[in-house]
Amino acid sequence: MTEFFQQLINGLSLGAIYALLALGYTMVYGILRFINFAHADVFMVGSFVGYYAARHIPAGTIWGGLIVLLVAMIACAVLGMAIERFAYRPLRGAPTLNVLITAIGMSLLLEYGVQLLFGSTPRNFPAVFPSSQVQLGDLTVSSNQLIVIGVAAVLLGGLQRIVFHTRLGAAMRAVSLNPRAAQLVGINLNTVIAFTFALGSALAGAGGVLYALNYPSIDPFMGVMPGLKAFVAAILGGIGNLPGAALGALILGGAETVVGGSAYSTYKDAIAFGLLIVIMLFRPAGLLGRFTAEKV
């Protein structure tokens, strides 16, 4: 039983990171109805920004680590807005396939651009927060895991506050429901979409730093597998549904960690795609998603 709870805590930490990524996917889909495949590479850029920020900021303390995290979030927010402005906005109204191909191209551009700038050799991520082991009864939890869970909870709570209790959040929800009607009542579509990309990318940047805390090796292709799993988590919970994305991420992180600690650990990466197949067969709208009739 102790081992089960130990794996559960590990899964909660991993699921919190997936949640930060999955929310970016689901917000963009909710507004524009397409999947931003470059989102996983914004996550990777966040880890690199954190790596270089830690070399100039006195990390190793709580405040130093929070500053590194904030720098990565700001840089990724700016990157997200730039991607939206120069890659996706000119294609607004174009066929979905055009936007999909552009998203894949942007993903490859970020991956190979970072490889060109910084090389392909994996780098050891510095300890930006103080690291120690915490005993909770028979359980051993690293301080990094507690930081990941705590920071993710604060960021998810902040996102919930922004989306459901601010004017910009109300504008985001209005655009998600009906972009044309939102424009008619005076909502600036470009501003809302840019803000959505900034918000999702900032969460991805934070996720990149938090992921590197527990898996301290970064490289230009590190976002591929976490990005795929976060995408699965968003679908599992119900794409376009914020609480659903967070729930799907926690379920996926827990399942993956439990399998990883069992005799079937070699199949832990397959669990995400197995869950995707099951949910598509029995509940295509996701756990918290709603079935909607599609007009033809």
Side-chain angles (χ1 to χ4, degrees), residues 36-294:
N36 176 22
F37 284 108
H39 189 63
D41 299 295
V42 175
F43 166 90
M44 174 271 295
V45 170
S47 67
F48 271 86
V49 172
Y51 172 83
Y52 284 101
R55 299 174 63 177
H56 303 284
I57 295 171
T61 65
I62 291 293
W63 290 111
L66 290 176
I67 292 172
V68 169
L69 191 69
L70 183 61
V71 169
M73 291 177 68
I74 293 172
C76 288
V78 172
L79 176 60
M81 288 191 292
I83 290 172
E84 187 278 327
R85 175 64 183 84
F86 297 108
Y88 298 144
R89 189 178 300 181
L91 295 175
R92 202 175 297 163
T96 305
L97 183 61
N98 294 15
V99 184
L100 176 64
I101 292 171
T102 301
I104 295 172
M106 180 55 63
S107 172
L108 294 173
L109 176 64
L110 289 175
E111 289 172 2
Y112 287 98
V114 170
Q115 184 179 20
L116 180 65
L117 288 174
F118 306 117
S120 59
T121 304
R123 299 162 186 261
N124 291 324
F125 196 80
V128 296
F129 287 99
S131 180
S132 61
Q133 298 293 322
V134 179
Q135 286 294 135
L136 299 175
D138 294 331
L139 303 178
T140 301
V141 184
S142 74
S143 59
N144 283 341
Q145 288 179 313
L146 295 177
I147 288 169
V148 166
I149 294 169
V151 170
V154 169
L155 292 176
L156 296 180
L159 176 65
Q160 185 84 355
R161 179 75 182 176
I162 289 171
V163 172
F164 294 101
H165 298 283
T166 67
R167 293 185 65 184
L168 259 177
M172 288 170 62
R173 287 181 282 126
V175 171
S176 176
L177 288 172
N178 193 322
R180 190 181 298 274
Q183 282 184 294
L184 290 175
V185 297
I187 293 175
N188 189 318
L189 204 59
N190 290 335
T191 299
V192 172
I193 292 173
F195 179 73
T196 301
F197 269 84
L199 201 56
S201 298
L203 293 178
V209 173
L210 296 176
Y211 185 84
L213 284 179
N214 287 336
Y215 307 93
S217 177
I218 63 173
D219 64 81
F221 301 97
M222 62 173 283
V224 175
M225 189 56 71
L228 284 173
K229 291 177 180 177
F231 175 54
V232 170
I235 295 176
L236 175 64
I239 191 74
N241 185 295
L242 295 181
L247 175 63
L250 293 176
I251 291 173
L252 180 60
E256 182 183 332
T257 307
V258 169
V259 172
S262 70
Y264 303 98
S265 59
T266 53
Y267 299 102
K268 70 181 181 68
D269 286 335
I271 190 68
F273 308 104
L275 284 173
L276 176 62
I277 292 170
V278 170
I279 202 68
M280 287 292 96
L281 287 174
F282 297 102
R283 189 172 172 81
L287 296 176
L288 300 185
R290 295 180 179 178
F291 292 94
T292 56
E294 187 171 340

